[in-house]
């Protein structure tokens, strides 16, 4: 497995910084908006997703990644399928193996799933039930966000990720224990499991086992470690939502560092719109056209641009609006 390592500053503790959103609280809409503005990241509790459901999926995921590499590569592919070390096609690598699947349950084909497991039907059922539950929770969160922003109708955002032709993805990541990530024996360096990046979709929903590694970047440029919590979900604001809120919400830059002792398993649901959906600042959030920070684009256009970029690139830069003020600076 390829390794990408570099010196990384010791991160701050994230225990007291990460916003925690209680979905059972009717007033959580205000806390959601503030979390999206200040961090672009938050933890959700009392989410209504069955603990047994994600426990089953985690078990099935571990079973898949425990297979010999020769068997796992039978479902290798691009963009969907199994991958190892290589992230995309532009030179990014990490201490990670993954399975990337279509998460659109209304597409007719259902999620791609490995047929070479002992119980492929169990894995398929777990994937479909998990995706259904997480998509519902995601819509609930997006509708609370629209309530907090005062947007009508309240399904303005949620309909983008629940319509029949949505382009959503489910990613299962496995970060094996990495002996090279022991800083005492590696010259003070950390091994990168997944390099720093933002997510291009509207919003991303992550759940992991209890192994640490995830970090987010704060406005001051510092990194904080996100304490793992296998009973909760973590949400990332994506680039598309940053554009739709005209920069009011921030797409959070994040990364994963390899752990020297324990495996990390994570499941990420990337909630994306249909390929033809036009992405632009919502008119109800700006007073006039001159305030628009971004040019309009389709999700297909932006998705293609991300496929042609490196993980750490500022992908939104080319879509920033060219104003007279910007041209003079």
């Amino acid at each position: 497995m390829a390794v990408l390592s570099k010196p990384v500053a010791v991160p701050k503790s994230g225990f007291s910084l990460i916003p925690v959103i209680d979905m059972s609280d009717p007033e959580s809409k205000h806390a959601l908006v503030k979390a999206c503005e200040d961090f672009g990241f938050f933890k959700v509790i009392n989410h209504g997703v069955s603990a047994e459901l994600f426990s089953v999926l985690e078990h099935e995921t571990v079973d898949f990644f425990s297979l010999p590499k020769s068997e796992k590569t039978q479902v290798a592919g691009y963009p969907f399928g199994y991958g190892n070390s290589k992230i995309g096609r532009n030179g990014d690598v990490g201490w990670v193996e993954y399975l990337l699947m279509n998460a659109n349950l209304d597409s007719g084909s259902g999620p791609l799933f490995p047929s070479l497991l002992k119980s492929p039907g169990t894995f398929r059922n777990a994937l479909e039930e998990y995706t259904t539950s997480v998509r519902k929770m995601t819509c609930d969160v997006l509708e609370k966000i629209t309530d907090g922003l005062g947007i009508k109708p309240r399904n303005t955002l949620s309909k983008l990720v629940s319509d029949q032709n949505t382009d959503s993805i489910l990613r299962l990541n496995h970060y094996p224990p990495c002996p090279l990530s022991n800083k005492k024996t590696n010259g003070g360096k950390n091994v990168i499991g997944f390099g720093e990046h933002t997510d291009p979709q509207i919003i991303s929903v992550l759940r992991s086992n209890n192994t640490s590694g995830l970090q987010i970047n704060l406005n001051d440029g510092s990194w904080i470690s996100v304490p793992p919590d296998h009973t909760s979900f973590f949400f990332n604001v994506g680039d598309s939502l940053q554009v739709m809120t005209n920069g009011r919400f921030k797409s959070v830059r994040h990364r994963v560092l390899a752990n020297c002792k324990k495996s990390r398993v994570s499941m990420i649901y990337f909630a994306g719109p249909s390929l033809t959906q036009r992405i632009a600042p919502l008119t109800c959030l700006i007073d006039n056209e001159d305030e628009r920070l971004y040019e309009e684009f389709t999700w297909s256009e932006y998705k293609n641009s991300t496929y042609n970029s490196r993980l750490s690139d500022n992908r939104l830069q080319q879509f920033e609006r060219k104003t007279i003020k910007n041209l003079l600076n």
Side-chain angles (χ1 to χ4, degrees):
M1 182 174 289
V3 179
L4 176 64
S5 61
K6 61 181 181 179
V8 178
V10 177
K12 301 176 183 178
S13 170
F15 279 97
S16 59
L17 292 174
I18 304 300
V20 178
I21 308 299
D22 184 348
M23 288 296 287
S24 67
D25 180 1
E27 296 304 311
S28 59
K29 60 184 181 181
H30 304 298
L32 272 170
V33 169
K34 182 169 176 53
C36 291
E37 291 174 337
D38 294 348
F39 292 90
F41 185 86
F42 52 90
K43 171 179 171 177
V44 166
I45 61 173
N46 292 324
H47 42 70
V49 179
S50 164
E52 180 182 0
L53 182 57
F54 48 68
S55 177
V56 170
L57 181 55
E58 182 178 320
H59 176 79
E60 295 295 323
T61 299
V62 170
D63 278 355
F64 170 73
F65 287 122
S66 298
L67 291 170
K69 186 177 179 180
S70 60
E71 294 186 30
K72 289 181 287 190
T73 54
Q74 292 179 31
V75 291
Y78 184 85
F80 298 129
Y82 173 77
N84 184 294
S85 303
K86 188 177 179 181
I87 303 170
R89 294 183 167 180
N90 300 301
D92 291 298
V93 294
W95 190 267
V96 64
E97 58 178 342
Y98 57 87
L99 188 62
L100 197 62
M101 294 163 283
N102 172 18
N104 185 2
L105 300 178
D106 297 321
S107 65
S109 60
L112 169 96
F113 75 104
S115 58
L116 39 93
L117 288 167
K118 292 180 181 178
S119 304
T122 303
F123 198 8
R124 173 188 280 276
N125 291 337
L127 284 169
E128 292 182 345
E129 290 179 26
Y130 179 84
T131 304
T132 298
S133 295
V134 171
R135 182 168 71 170
K136 180 182 182 303
M137 174 185 59
T138 302
C139 289
D140 291 342
V141 167
L142 289 173
E143 289 179 0
K144 278 181 175 283
I145 287 174
T146 56
D147 288 343
L149 290 171
I151 297 173
K152 300 292 184 183
R154 74 189 305 260
N155 71 340
T156 297
L157 296 176
S158 64
K159 69 180 181 181
L160 300 180
V161 302
S162 59
D163 284 348
Q164 185 172 358
N165 297 317
T166 57
D167 184 41
S168 297
I169 294 171
L170 183 65
R171 184 184 190 106
L172 306 179
N173 286 336
H174 174 228
Y175 303 92
C178 178
L180 294 177
S181 63
N182 185 337
K183 288 190 284 186
K184 292 182 180 179
T185 61
N186 195 35
K189 296 180 179 179
N190 286 288
V191 174
I192 301 298
F194 208 108
E196 63 177 88
H197 63 285
T198 60
D199 294 335
Q201 289 85 0
I202 292 175
I203 204 162
S204 307
V205 188
L206 177 142
R207 186 253 167 205
S208 75
N209 63 359
N210 264 338
T211 300
S212 62
L214 176 63
Q215 297 182 341
I216 63 170
N217 195 230
L218 302 181
N219 291 331
D220 63 4
S222 63
W223 291 89
I224 61 169
S225 292
V226 178
D229 181 355
H230 70 285
T231 66
S232 303
F233 289 91
F234 295 90
F235 280 69
N236 298 343
V237 169
D239 295 344
S240 296
L241 188 53
Q242 176 172 320
V243 171
M244 295 181 75
T245 60
N246 203 39
R248 181 171 172 179
F249 290 178
K250 302 301 181 185
S251 181
V252 63
R253 187 166 288 269
H254 53 289
R255 67 187 181 191
V256 176
L257 302 184
N259 190 291
C260 66
K261 296 180 179 180
K262 298 190 296 182
S263 291
R264 175 179 168 87
V265 175
S266 61
M267 314 159 187
I268 310 99
Y269 174 73
F270 299 95
S274 67
L275 291 172
T276 58
Q277 176 64 46
R278 306 198 72 80
I279 307 295
L282 296 172
T283 56
C284 59
L285 296 180
I286 55 177
D287 293 329
N288 58 71
E289 284 294 302
D290 292 338
E291 294 181 359
R292 285 180 48 178
L293 299 179
Y294 303 97
E295 302 289 352
E296 184 179 275
F297 52 84
T298 65
W299 167 239
S300 178
E301 290 171 337
Y302 192 61
K303 181 179 179 179
N304 288 335
S305 76
T306 65
Y307 282 161
N308 294 319
S309 65
R310 297 292 299 270
L311 276 177
S312 60
D313 288 347
N314 179 359
R315 298 157 174 163
L316 280 178
Q317 189 171 29
Q318 63 179 304
F319 296 97
E320 291 176 356
R321 192 172 181 217
K322 306 298 188 293
T323 63
I324 295 178
K325 181 179 179 180
N326 288 339
L327 293 173
L328 292 176
N329 289 338

